[in-house]
Amino acid sequence: MLRVLAVDDEKPLLEELLYLLRSDPRVRRAEGASDATEALRRVTRALESGPDGADAIDVVFLDIHMAGLTGLDIARLLAGFARPPLIVFVTAHEGFAVQAFDLKAVDYVLKPVRPERLAEAVRRACAQLGRSEEGPAGAMTGDAPMAGGPVVPAPRRPVAEVTVADRASDQIAVELGGVTRFVAIADISYVEAQGDYARLHTDEGSHLVRIPVSTLEERWAARGFVRIHRRHLVALARIDELRLEAGTTSVRVGTAELQVSRRHARELRDLLMRQATG
C-alpha cells in the first residue's frame, strides 16, 4: 500500500484530490501540502526517516502551476536525492507532458481529475514500486498495462466491491466557507457556466466549482443532464415546465426560469416527450 503526498496551492482542489486518494484501498496514507516549501520539508523529513519510517513517502502527486517554485522545479530538486519518491503530475495544462516524462514522472493526470484516471495513476505507481495492489480487504483494482513497464494482472472485481471511482461517482466536491463538502449529484437541479467554473444549483443553494460545464455535460449525460444553452446544463427530471412564447423556449426548474437556445429546443422537446410517454 502506498504512502502519498499531494501538493497543490489551491485548497479546494487539494482537498478533492486527497478525498479521492484516501478513498482508494491501495493508499495507506495521504497527506497534503499547499506550497513548495511545505512539500520539500515533508519529503526531506520522509527521506531522513528511511523507507520504513513513520514519515516515509512513496509517491508525490504534484501540481505544476504554483506560486514560487513550480511542480517541475520541485521534481528537479527531488531528482537529486538518492532515493526520491515517485512523481505523478496532476495539472490543468497539457503542454508540460514532455518535460514531466523527461523527469521520469510515473504519470501525467489532467484536471479536472476523473476518479478512474486517478485510480490508474495509483495502479502505475504500485506497478513501478513492485507493490501488491491489494487493499485492506484484498481488493484488486485496475487491469491496464503500463506503457514501458510490467503488466500487473488483476481479476475482475466482484459486484459488491467498492473502488475509488464507485465511491466518488455519486458526489462532487465543493468548497463552502473554507470547508470542503460533498454534494450528491442527484440533488443538483441545474448547472450554470461562469467562465472556466460552473455553479451548481440545488434546492438548498448554489456552489461554485472549478470544472467547465462542457466537462460536466460529458460526465453527467448518463445521469439525465442535458445542455439547453451554452450557459446551462439541466437535470431533465428537475424540469417542471416547458414554455413556448413568442418564438422563444424556456424551462422552469423550481423557481428559476432558464432560456433554451434554438439549437437545443427541438432535442429538449423530444426528450421531454419521450420521458412523459415512457
Side-chain angles (χ1 to χ4, degrees), residues 94-114:
E94 298 181 3
F96 298 100
V98 174
Q99 296 178 62
F101 288 110
D102 282 345
L103 290 167
K104 304 296 189 294
V106 173
D107 208 344
Y108 192 89
V109 180
L110 289 175
K111 297 176 182 177
V113 178
R114 292 180 292 114

Side-chain angles (χ1 to χ4, degrees), residues 55 115 126 152 154 172 240:
D55 297 317
C126 288
V152 180
I172 183 168
D240 299 310

